[in-house]
Amino acid sequence: MKHAEPGANSTKSLYIRTYGCQMNVYDSDRMAEVLAPLGYQLVGEPDDADMVILNTCHIREKASEKIYSELGRLRPMQSDKAARGGRMVLAVAGCVAQAEGAEMQRRAPFVDIVLGPQTYHRLPEMVARATRAAGNRVMDTDFPVRPKFDDLPERSSANGVTAFLTVQEGCDKFCTFCVVPYTRGEEYSRPAGEIVAEAKQLVQAGAREITLLGQNVNAYHGAGGGGGTWSLARLIRELADIDGLARIRYTTSHPRDMTDDLIAAHGDVPQLMPYLHLPIQSGSNRVLVAMNRKHEVADYERTIDRLRAARPDLALSSDFIVGFPGESRRDFEDTLALVERVEFASAFSFKYSPRPGTPAATEMLQIDESEKQQRLSELQSLLSSQQDAFNQAMVGRTIPVLLEKPGRRSGQLVGRSPYLQPVHALAPDRAIGDIVDLSITARHANSLAAQPLAESSH
Ligand code: 5AD
Ligand code: SF4
């Protein structure tokens, strides 16, 4: 069997496994694009790959433990390949690499490359350095002054009809539980012109929906040409003019940055989908202060009232942390009460996980694990009953569905509602990428079933 020499101009196989948030999905796509000119082509399994990248997440404890167990599975594959005279270059990218790079090199010395989220445009030179000699190890967890976006290639594929586009990265808010300001670095907004150009490339490559990404996406304030600065709302209005771009979403937002112009955009930009992820984390003001969230519960509810006034069919999702240090039963009940009042279409909820280097991790008043678990179960059962009610209310309605991919049954297509619900429909005469009005006939655990109406494409 012939094995490609690293650095040779032949085809090599690349396997990327992505953990965590949507920005990591975006970053993985871009890493593949950076490596493509070297001959690397994506494959679906790591077994005999010439290069494996784990693009990691550090947001909660379990996330980094998963990486070490995955590395444990990859190590024998790497040795096998070496025994056959080949080489599997093993790289760990993303936020675990950024936060624990040095420890990772100690704990897993067989990892060839450790790189952070801000340096992957330099992957070709890292691969060259790592493969120059056996045993070379490379670590690059810089925060370069020149942003990586300046050195990334153009987008040539959209990976389907829905695409992600990073517009803002990093965070200056320093919530006391969160590693993001340390792993992704300080807040940075890409220039608006660069984003519009990338959006056009994605639409050209087949995207019909674009989700604008940022850890603090609604804090976006990018250079807009002519010396001015654009807000996220301004950017969304500009993107809405791109022919063929039917749906726009953005995530993740901070309640404090829900500005008047962004709320107004929800009312008058039809491409902006009526579904917003707006994390509040807790329904107790006392806990919000301890979390350094810089907003109160009443501010959040006022923002939601204004959003719903602008766009009455807006559905909401949120993130919650239970068992934050010092959270009393009473504080937790305030969270339940907030959820009862707002009514969420879906939500993510987590037990507080102490992260090294963050202020809350060294708080004395850590909550007992069993108490955290109890609170999480209570909150999740309330949230899932709200989600069920929201999904049930779709039955009998007609909603526009963006058809994304073939389903498992023949003639079946799977798409997404405006509220990101997966919708299964028998619509053999429709094409992927079409937006069709479908009549919702049933609700399943995690999806909706639908049938097409007569002529209704738009
Ligand atoms: N423990 C638990 N959940 C966390 N999140 C962030 N940091 C932690 C932590 N240390 C949650 C927040 C955030 C989401 C992405 O992950 O709810 O909004
Ligand atoms: Fe983390 Fe979001 Fe808080 Fe920033 S605003 S520190 S990303 S939770």
Side-chain angles (χ1 to χ4, degrees), residues 171 173-175 177-178 180-181 215-216 254 281 293:
C171 183
K173 296 243 173 9
F174 290 93
C175 298
F177 52 82
C178 185
V180 164
Q215 273 85 30
N216 240 271
H254 192 287
Q281 314 294 356
R293 290 288 291 177

Side-chain angles (χ1 to χ4, degrees), residues 59-60 177-179 252 277 279 281 293 319-321 348 350-355 358:
I59 199 88
R60 284 170 296 278
F177 52 82
C178 185
V179 287
T252 294
H277 183 58
Q281 314 294 356
R293 290 288 291 177
D319 289 341
F320 295 92
I321 296 176
F348 301 96
F350 313 99
K351 288 185 279 189
Y352 170 68
S353 158
R355 307 310 291 130
T358 59

Side-chain angles (χ1 to χ4, degrees), residues 3-46:
H3 288 281
E5 280 303 312
N9 200 15
S10 57
T11 301
K12 300 186 250 320
S13 53
L14 168 67
Y15 173 80
I16 305 183
R17 175 141 187 207
T18 308
Y19 300 80
C21 65
Q22 291 153 325
M23 194 175 285
N24 267 8
V25 175
Y26 175 87
D27 289 341
S28 292
D29 282 353
R30 310 260 23 211
M31 285 192 252
E33 288 165 358
V34 166
L35 289 168
L38 275 68
Y40 284 100
Q41 285 181 4
L42 282 173
V43 293
E45 295 297 331

Side-chain angles (χ1 to χ4, degrees), residues 42 97 104 106 113 123 157 161 172 180 194 222 228 241 275 297 305 339 341 354 373 376 380-381 392:
L42 282 173
M104 178 164 288
R106 272 195 305 280
I113 301 172
L123 260 170
S157 91
V161 296
D172 294 342
V180 164
E194 190 180 303
D241 281 343
Y275 183 72
V297 176
D305 288 345
V339 172
R341 290 195 301 276
Q373 187 54 52
L376 186 67
Q380 289 189 336
S381 89
Q392 187 62 39

